[in-house]
Amino acid sequence: LGPANEGFARATRVLERVIRDIRQGKGLEIEAVENVVQDLVESIIRNPDALQLVSRLRESDESAYTHALQVAVLLVTFGRELGFSRMELEHLGQVGMLLDIGKLRISRAILSKRGNLTPGEFEEVKRHVEYGLEMIGNADLAHPDVIVGVAQHHERTNGSGYPGGLKDQDLSIFGRMAGI
């Protein structure tokens, strides 16, 4: 658990820095995300239960940072169980860490609103996918699988998702996994 806890803490610090840089208009440093995801993949390959446990223990203090890391951990663990390659696991981890990055452009008042959102507010929240893709697209070296996974994380196999209403075989495996 020690190395898993250290890795999770290091990943949290990197993600906090990435989010701070985006808020300050510096853009997305995809290399930082890639490096921290490589550490997560190594930890999950070494001992998948340890990082899962650390993720659950930190859930009581959930924030945008820990949520992103928890999603990354779950996706990498899922991909490991499906027999994905190390590179695919790294891409899945990046999807998990970046799928909600576009929410940084959504008003905090909307994101923290108690009760139902108005239709206009909900449409704005749904735009986080578009905003996230803009941020990722402006980052150098973002892998196409990462971009597709982020783009499709709210799509559903029955076509009820957004932003494209994609169905079944129109969804990539990364999009399907991130949608879970």
Side-chain angles (χ1 to χ4, degrees):
L1 287 178
N5 196 34
E6 289 172 23
F8 198 93
R10 189 172 43 255
T12 300
R13 287 190 304 273
V14 168
L15 193 53
E16 286 171 347
R17 190 184 83 232
V18 165
I19 289 172
R20 185 181 60 245
D21 287 351
I22 289 171
R23 284 188 173 141
Q24 293 174 351
K26 296 180 183 175
L28 174 63
E29 185 186 342
I30 196 76
E31 294 83 14
V33 174
E34 289 172 348
N35 290 336
V36 78
V37 167
Q38 287 171 358
D39 290 344
L40 292 175
V41 168
E42 280 299 317
S43 180
I44 288 169
I45 288 172
R46 198 172 44 250
N47 185 348
D49 295 333
L51 199 56
Q52 286 279 354
L53 180 57
V54 168
S55 178
R56 283 191 213 119
L57 289 172
R58 291 176 180 248
E59 195 171 345
S60 61
D61 181 31
E62 187 162 353
S63 68
Y65 313 120
T66 57
H67 175 71
L69 291 174
Q70 289 168 349
V71 173
V73 167
L74 290 171
L75 283 172
V76 172
T77 304
F78 188 15
R80 179 183 179 271
E81 290 301 313
L82 294 177
F84 283 17
S85 71
R86 180 178 305 272
M87 184 64 65
E88 290 169 319
L89 295 176
E90 290 175 9
H91 293 157
L92 269 174
Q94 290 172 41
V95 170
M97 289 187 67
L98 297 172
L99 56 80
D100 282 337
I101 200 87
K103 287 185 178 178
L104 293 172
R105 291 194 187 165
I106 307 289
S107 159
R108 287 185 181 169
I110 292 175
L111 292 176
S112 62
K113 180 179 178 180
R114 299 210 184 266
N116 294 332
L117 298 174
T118 67
E121 290 168 336
F122 184 57
E123 288 303 314
E124 179 63 11
V125 169
K126 287 172 30 176
R127 291 192 67 202
H128 82 275
V129 175
E130 173 188 334
Y131 297 147
L133 290 172
E134 287 172 9
M135 289 181 212
I136 294 168
N138 290 333
D140 292 334
L141 307 175
H143 191 276
D145 286 343
V146 175
I147 294 169
V148 168
V150 170
Q152 296 179 352
H153 78 276
H154 280 291
E155 299 287 357
R156 302 296 176 256
T157 58
N158 66 3
S160 66
Y162 64 87
L166 301 177
K167 288 179 139 179
D168 296 321
Q169 58 272 29
D170 294 331
L171 293 171
S172 72
I173 187 69
F174 281 20
R176 289 175 190 228
M177 292 171 73
I180 294 172

